[in-house]
Structures are given as structure tokens and as C-alpha cells.
């Protein structure tokens, strides 16, 4: 395995993903499979085709065919495809509308309490919680709120069903026998809980961060490149291959998904990228740096869990939507998250190279 081989794999992944994304985007448009954002600040994105992550499946199947004799590529590709199919089911279920929520505006001259939010005069928000929904009617009658829109909310698979399907994906990886040691330790039967936690954690981290144009794809691209550099500096050229695959797919999708996005990846894409990244980290035995490079999405998940445990209160979940709600532009948030991922990864590489 040489540097040239790695570059060739990366270029193949990039080019085929651009190719497949272009055609999948057009097919989704023609079929009217488009997104209807529930975040009020993103209403202008209504009509953007979603489930563009279907292109990832075509890319990994093609690359798996070319590199069928390489275990790193084959295993990563198959786990990505499995996770993508699970995400596709989630996306298809989401095509059914569960309820319609009110989008309201404070038309009074004083701040109004609506559920967990406090709306300033002229401020708009979605009545999402049960408490907020119950307050809307009286506030409208009292000429304090005005209903300005009705937002359809997608049906979602239950949390337990999601966890079960993600555990199944982890079991697929366990059955390959590719994860036996991690971080210098022989796992034995501990490989089972370790792989399950890694797959579930990575899928949900990437899925949660996938809420703005290019945010998830950009972070996975940066983290994957950083892991590749880390492995290169430690002399593990073959280990770079799955990360080159992930980086190529992510950057290829960013051609169409960067701000302003002309296609969204959907759960099929975020599940595939999350599971693929976890698989690459596990089978190349880079757990410490792999977790560090994905620190931004992981911290975002932790903050959301703290919010759901009612230890803190976010006006909008997850954190990047709260930042948008508080006034930061989408582009500022995306660039900030990308930069933080780059900065944390760069510090990790420097510390590892010079001190270990």
C-alpha cells in the first residue's frame, strides 16, 4: 500500500459520489421527495430534495467491488451500506405527517412566555411542546400571539426501535471479527459492548449534527482527513484507506450540499457516515484520536442529553439551532463547527506526534 494508492481511492470516492449525487438529486426532485424544515429559521429551504445519501450507497458498493480483497474497505463499505438502509427506512417513515404545529408571532408590546421560550415583541417561534400548544389558543384570543403558519411534523420511528436497529448494525461488525483489540487492550467479549456503544454513539452524533448545509459532511471530511494524517505519521498507510473513502464521499457530497445546499443527505446519509466513521476507527485501532476528531458532534449530543434531562434548557434543540435562534447566521455556525473540528484535530496530531 502506497501514498499513490490512497490518493487514487480518495479520488475515486470523490468522483463517483459527485456523479451519483448529481443524478440522485435530480431523481429526488422529479419525484418531489423534498424537505419541509420544522426549524422556523430554515423555512426558506422548503422544497430542497432530501435522502441524497442514497448516493453514498452506490458509491460504497462500487468501491467495495473494486477493493473487494481489502478487508478495511470491504468491512467499512458493508457497514455503511447496512446503516444507510436503516436510515432509509427512517426517512421513508418520515414522509408521513404526524401532526401540524402552529408557527406564531408575538404581536404584543411585551415579552410573552410560550412553553420554554420567552418571545420578545415581534419574535416568531414554533409551538412544539405540549405546554406551548395548550397556551396558543388563549394567547391568540388575548391578541398577544398571531398564527402565521402551520408546520407539518414528520412521523418518527420510536427511540427503542432506532436503538435496536443500530445494535443490529453493530452486531454485523462484531461478527466480522475485525475488532479484537482497541487502544492497546485485548477486548475479548468486551468487544461486544464496545462496538455497540461506538456504533450507536457515532450514528447519533452525526445524525444530530446534520441540521445545517454541509455541517455533517464537512465535519466527517475533516475528521477523516485528520485520522488519515494521524495514521500516516504513525506509519500505518493501509489504515488510511477507510478514512480516504469517508473523506472522498463526504467532500463529493459537499459539492452539492455546501451552503446553500441543493440536496440534503437525510438519515440514510448521516447513518452511513456515522457508522462508517465508527467502523474505520475501530478496525484501524485509533479510538483515542478518532473520538477526539469527532469531539464537536459528541459534545453536541452530550448537551442535548443534558437538556433532555432538564439540567439545562435550550430554546431550540440541538445546540446549533439554538445558536441560530440566538442570532448567529447559518454560515457562521457551519464555519465555526468546521474550524473547531480542524483545531481540535490539529492539536491532537501535534500532541501525538511530538509527545508520544
Amino acid at each position: 500500500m502506497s501514498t499513490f494508492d490512497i490518493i487514487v481511492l480518495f479520488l475515486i470516492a470523490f468522483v463517483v459520489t459527485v456523479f451519483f449525487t448529481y443524478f440522485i438529486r435530480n431523481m429526488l426532485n422529479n419525484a418531489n421527495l423534498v424537505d419541509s424544515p420544522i426549524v422556523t429559521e430554515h423555512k426558506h429551504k422548503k422544497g430542497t430534495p432530501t435522502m441524497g445519501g442514497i448516493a453514498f450507497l452506490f458509491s460504497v458498493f462500487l468501491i467495495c467491488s473494486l477493493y473487494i480483497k481489502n478487508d478495511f474497505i470491504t468491512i467499512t463499505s458493508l457497514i455503511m451500506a447496512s446503516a444507510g438502509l436503516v436510515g432509509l427506512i427512517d426517512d421513508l417513515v418520515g414522509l408521513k405527517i404526524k401532526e401540524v404545529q402552529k408557527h406564531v408571532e408575538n404581536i404584543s408590546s411585551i415579552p410573552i412566555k410560550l412553553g420554554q421560550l420567552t418571545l420578545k415583541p415581534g419574535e416568531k417561534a414554533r409551538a412544539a411542546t405540549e405546554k406551548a400548544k395548550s397556551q396558543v389558543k388563549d394567547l391568540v384570543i388575548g391578541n398577544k400571539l398571531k398564527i402565521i403558519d402551520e408546520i407539518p411534523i414528520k412521523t418518527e420511528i420510536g427511540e427503542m426501535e432506532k436503538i435496536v436497529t443500530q445494535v443490529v448494525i453493530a452486531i454485523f461488525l462484531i461478527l466480522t471479527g475485525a475488532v479484537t483489540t482497541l487502544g492497546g487492550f485485548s477486548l475479548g467479549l468486551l468487544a461486544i459492548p464496545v462496538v455497540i456503544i461506538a456504533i450507536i454513539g457515532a450514528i447519533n452524533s452525526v445524525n444530530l449534527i446534520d441540521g445545517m448545509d454541509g455541517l455533517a459532511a464537512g465535519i466527517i471530511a475533516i475528521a477523516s482527513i485528520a485520522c488519515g494524517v494521524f495514521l500516516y505519521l504513525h506509519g500505518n498507510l493501509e489504515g488510511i484507506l477507510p478514512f480516504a473513502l469517508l473523506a472522498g464521499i463526504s467532500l463529493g457530497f459537499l459539492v452539492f450540499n455546501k451552503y446553500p445546499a441543493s440536496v440534503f443527505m437525510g438519515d440514510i446519509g448521516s447513518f452511513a457516515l456515522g457508522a462508517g466513521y465508527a467502523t474505520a476507527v475501530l478496525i484501524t485501532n485509533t479510538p483515542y484520536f478518532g473520538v477526539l476528531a469527532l469531539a464537536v458532534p459528541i459534545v453536541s449530543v452530550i448537551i442535548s442529553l443534558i437538556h433532555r434531562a432538564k439540567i439545562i434548557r435550550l430554546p431550540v434543540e440541538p445546540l446549533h439551532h439554538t445558536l441560530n435562534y440566538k442570532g448567529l447566521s447559518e454560515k457562521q455556525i457551519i464555519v465555526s463547527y468546521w474550524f473547531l473540528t480542524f483545531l481540535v484535530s490539529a492539536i491532537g496530531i501535534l500532541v501525538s506526534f511530538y509527545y508520544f
Side-chain angles (χ1 to χ4, degrees), residues 125-186:
R126 176 169 51 92
T129 66
E130 291 305 317
K131 183 178 180 181
K133 294 173 189 175
S134 66
Q135 294 172 325
V136 168
K137 184 176 180 181
D138 290 339
L139 291 171
V140 170
I141 293 173
N143 291 319
K144 295 179 180 180
L145 287 183
K146 177 175 72 174
I147 297 173
I148 58 176
D149 197 5
E150 293 188 337
I151 301 172
I153 305 300
K154 304 173 184 178
T155 301
E156 290 190 49
I157 296 175
E159 290 300 322
M160 183 55 65
E161 285 84 356
K162 285 185 179 181
I163 295 298
V164 169
T165 55
Q166 291 166 19
V167 169
V168 170
I169 296 165
I171 290 173
F172 291 161
L173 179 54
I174 292 166
L175 292 176
T176 66
V179 184
T180 56
T181 60
L182 200 64
F185 298 96
S186 179

Side-chain angles (χ1 to χ4, degrees), residues 67-79:
Y67 291 85
I68 192 67
K69 293 182 180 180
N70 185 284
D71 289 344
F72 283 168
I73 296 298
T74 302
I75 293 171
T76 303
S77 297
L78 293 178
I79 297 300

